[in-house]
Amino acid sequence: MLDIKFIRDNPEVVKQGIKNKNGKDRVDELLVLDKQRRNLITQTEELKAKKNSVSQEVAKLKKQGEDASSIISEMKIISDETKEIDNELNAIEEKLNEILYHFPNLPDESVPVGKSSEENVVVRQWAPEEFSLENEEKVLDHIELGKKLNILDFERGTKISGSGFPLYIGKGATLERALINFMLDTHIKEHGYTEVLPPFLVNRASLIGTGQLPKMEEDMYNIEKDGLYPIPTAEVPITNMHRNEILEEDSLPINYVGYSACFRREAGSYGKESKGFLRVHQFNKVELVKFVKPENSYDELENIVSDAEAILKLLKIPYRILLLCSGDLSFAASKCYDIETWSPAENKWLEASSCSNFGEFQGRRASIRFRNYKTKKLNFVHTLNGSGLATSRLMVSLLENYQTPEGKIIVPKVLQKYTGFEIID
RNA sequence: GGAGAGGUGGGUGAGUGGCUGAAACCAACGGUUUGCUAAACCGUCGUACUGGGUAAACCGGUACCGAGGGUUCGAAUCCCUCCCUCUCCGCCA
């Protein structure tokens, strides 16, 4: 959420930022409400101040055993008037908040302005030495490989739950588990993150805190009976660990890594990239989350990207890193890098990670603050997160890149101690 | 699912209608003392919004004792609804 004071003082900056993000500009509407709100606050507070002082009088008079009935009846009128103004005020604040909670975060200055993913910028690209993007012989795609080797069963997944719910079998399941453990261990041991295994169902306040709600209501699974939502990413529970907390300045940065299953309705996206693993309702992800001091957040974004890409280097899977343009940035992000892995069968890059800096956007929504030792003031922390990484698209690249001409899969060297086997055939 | 207890400031914990934004203690911070550490003593010590002020310091006002309503001139305190936590019983991975 943006600071209303900032919007008030910099309406043009905010308008431009929203425009660059392809958002709906409701700044003027908001400022009118803000003005009304402050007028009403002044009115009601004056009345309340009077009420408070007169109440003291009443107490005094009663103590002395004198009659206070005339001022009491006068106060009754003021009290009613106050209630009326308060009702009006509440209505305005509700409207104002509704708008404010739908305001996207603004892009950072370093983010290229652009309309869509077409204008994202490739920052760098990496591949193991023996690799070439030009593959001459025909390769099997991950669905064919999964079927042939009996490690993935999308049909049965559909029978059990519906389309988009993958089912791993045998060595496929083991490989998935190995991948998760390998990524967790690497981030914990090599990159210094603290492991978290969070709840997979969260309440509404948590989703508002990280920014999924109220805007993305349609994209969320919702267990109405209990008021709980299956998480679309571990970002939600992990970031909300510190909701409504005041952190010690010297405890920052806080770095968490957590595995979770992720649940997404993907409403309206049927038919688009929907085969196999490319777009699913449930997938596994290892998520990196950071709570940092404001002045460090953009450096920390670079760190989170390099922690995520380290996994791909170790796995020896070709990838590239994109700096998203303003129009492709998600609602809560001020800057974001996507990491895409290469799929030789699809002959294209697949998004396997998204690393974002949210600035104080989530900190403000979720009220996550720290005491600034120097100024003694409370400041919002900056939050970041990045997939490190999501296994579904990664699994596509892994299977396809590691297939042999006979259609077997060689297990990447670093995963072998986790799988206990070297080949899937 | 059944029965009960409870939610007060960073923490513990007083407080049953006006003198309570809230005692006391602990923690924290500043200072005095000290060869160092410790202790002792003194002082400071909530947040948000809002008005003024130089976007600082600071000053004024309002709100906040789980959340939301209600009663009242006046609510942490009385009433209603909801949420959460804990204990015991039942069921269960």
Side-chain angles (χ1 to χ4, degrees), chain A residues 2-15 31 106 360 364:
Chain A
L2 298 180
D3 184 0
I4 180 81
K5 284 182 203 142
F6 180 82
I7 302 174
R8 200 183 290 155
D9 296 338
N10 307 278
E12 293 310 316
V13 175
V14 175
K15 283 181 186 184
L31 290 179
L106 303 178
E360 63 172 38
R364 184 179 292 283

Side-chain angles (χ1 to χ4, degrees), chain A residues 115-133:
Chain A
K115 280 258 168 287
S116 71
S117 55
E118 315 256 301
E119 291 171 76
N120 294 341
V121 177
V122 178
V123 178
R124 58 183 174 272
Q125 188 167 319
W126 181 92
E129 277 168 26
E130 63 273 21
F131 171 84
S132 157
L133 278 183

Side-chain angles (χ1 to χ4, degrees), chain A residues 3-38:
Chain A
D3 184 0
I4 180 81
K5 284 182 203 142
F6 180 82
I7 302 174
R8 200 183 290 155
D9 296 338
N10 307 278
E12 293 310 316
V13 175
V14 175
K15 283 181 186 184
Q16 188 61 45
I18 292 179
K19 189 178 164 205
N20 290 345
K21 229 173 162 180
N22 298 336
K24 195 170 160 200
D25 171 12
R26 299 178 71 181
V27 172
D28 292 331
E29 193 184 341
L30 185 81
L31 290 179
V32 169
L33 289 170
D34 178 50
K35 191 85 198 245
Q36 290 175 350
R37 170 176 170 265
R38 284 191 292 158

Side-chain angles (χ1 to χ4, degrees), chain A residues 202-212 234-245 256 289 291 362 365-368 383:
Chain A
V202 297
N203 56 31
R204 199 174 163 83
S206 292
L207 285 159
I208 287 172
T210 32
Q212 283 76 17
E235 161 198 351
V236 179
I238 297 177
T239 305
N240 278 283
M241 281 168 67
H242 295 300
R243 172 156 48 87
N244 293 331
E245 286 187 14
Y256 291 123
V289 176
F291 300 80
Q362 294 180 328
R365 282 182 164 243
S367 189
I368 309 170
T383 57

Side-chain angles (χ1 to χ4, degrees), chain A residues 44-178:
Chain A
T44 183
E45 287 191 350
E46 272 170 17
L47 290 175
K48 282 174 186 166
K50 182 161 186 202
K51 191 177 81 177
N52 287 342
S53 70
V54 173
S55 285
Q56 302 276 334
E57 290 293 313
V58 174
K60 221 180 267 172
L61 288 175
K62 290 221 164 169
K63 214 172 188 180
Q64 292 164 359
E66 292 178 33
D67 177 50
S69 55
S70 75
I71 44 177
I72 283 180
S73 60
E74 189 190 331
M75 277 305 96
K76 211 165 196 166
I77 297 166
I78 290 192
S79 183
D80 288 347
E81 202 177 333
T82 309
K83 259 174 211 166
E84 238 169 77
I85 297 175
D86 278 345
N87 284 339
E88 207 178 325
L89 182 61
N90 285 341
I92 290 203
E93 288 194 326
E94 201 173 304
K95 264 196 236 169
L96 191 141
N97 281 332
E98 196 267 334
I99 296 177
L100 205 52
Y101 274 98
H102 281 83
F103 260 52
N105 200 358
L106 303 178
D108 182 59
E109 285 168 7
S110 62
V111 171
V113 174
K115 280 258 168 287
S116 71
S117 55
E118 315 256 301
E119 291 171 76
N120 294 341
V121 177
V122 178
V123 178
R124 58 183 174 272
Q125 188 167 319
W126 181 92
E129 277 168 26
E130 63 273 21
F131 171 84
S132 157
L133 278 183
E134 315 294 323
N135 56 299
E136 45 298 329
E137 69 242 50
K138 164 104 175 74
V139 294
L140 299 176
D141 71 24
H142 74 282
I143 299 173
E144 295 164 324
L145 286 166
K147 197 164 207 169
K148 178 168 185 286
L149 299 170
N150 195 27
I151 54 174
L152 297 172
D153 192 335
F154 291 101
E155 285 82 2
R156 287 205 176 94
T158 301
K159 173 167 70 181
I160 299 165
S161 304
S163 76
F165 289 92
L167 173 66
Y168 303 73
I169 303 167
K171 286 184 173 174
T174 307
L175 182 63
E176 174 79 359
R177 187 159 49 83

Side-chain angles (χ1 to χ4, degrees), chain A residues 171-302:
Chain A
K171 286 184 173 174
T174 307
L175 182 63
E176 174 79 359
R177 187 159 49 83
L179 204 46
I180 292 166
N181 280 332
F182 160 68
M183 293 193 289
L184 282 172
D185 281 349
T186 305
H187 292 308
I188 296 161
K189 291 174 190 156
E190 308 296 325
H191 305 149
Y193 289 79
T194 302
E195 183 173 7
V196 171
L197 186 54
F200 292 1
L201 301 181
V202 297
N203 56 31
R204 199 174 163 83
S206 292
L207 285 159
I208 287 172
T210 32
Q212 283 76 17
L213 292 182
K215 200 162 179 246
M216 323 289 188
E217 197 86 54
E218 283 309 299
D219 294 315
M220 304 292 308
Y221 285 105
N222 178 2
I223 302 171
E224 273 182 42
K225 196 175 178 186
D226 299 291
L228 293 169
Y229 298 77
I231 54 174
T233 157
E235 161 198 351
V236 179
I238 297 177
T239 305
N240 278 283
M241 281 168 67
H242 295 300
R243 172 156 48 87
N244 293 331
E245 286 187 14
I246 294 167
L247 305 171
E248 287 301 320
E249 182 177 352
D250 58 15
S251 72
L252 303 175
I254 297 173
N255 302 316
Y256 291 123
V257 58
Y259 154 76
S260 85
C262 301
F263 304 91
R264 302 190 178 180
R265 290 187 68 223
E266 300 293 350
S269 67
Y270 281 107
K272 200 167 112 190
E273 285 190 335
S274 61
K275 65 176 181 173
F277 268 134
L278 296 183
R279 188 173 295 276
V280 286
H281 292 305
Q282 179 184 326
F283 59 94
N284 296 309
K285 184 156 62 68
V286 168
E287 185 77 358
L288 306 170
V289 176
K290 282 175 180 277
F291 300 80
V292 308
K293 290 199 253 182
E295 62 267 31
N296 300 333
S297 66
Y298 286 95
D299 289 339
E300 291 282 8
L301 178 61
E302 302 300 321

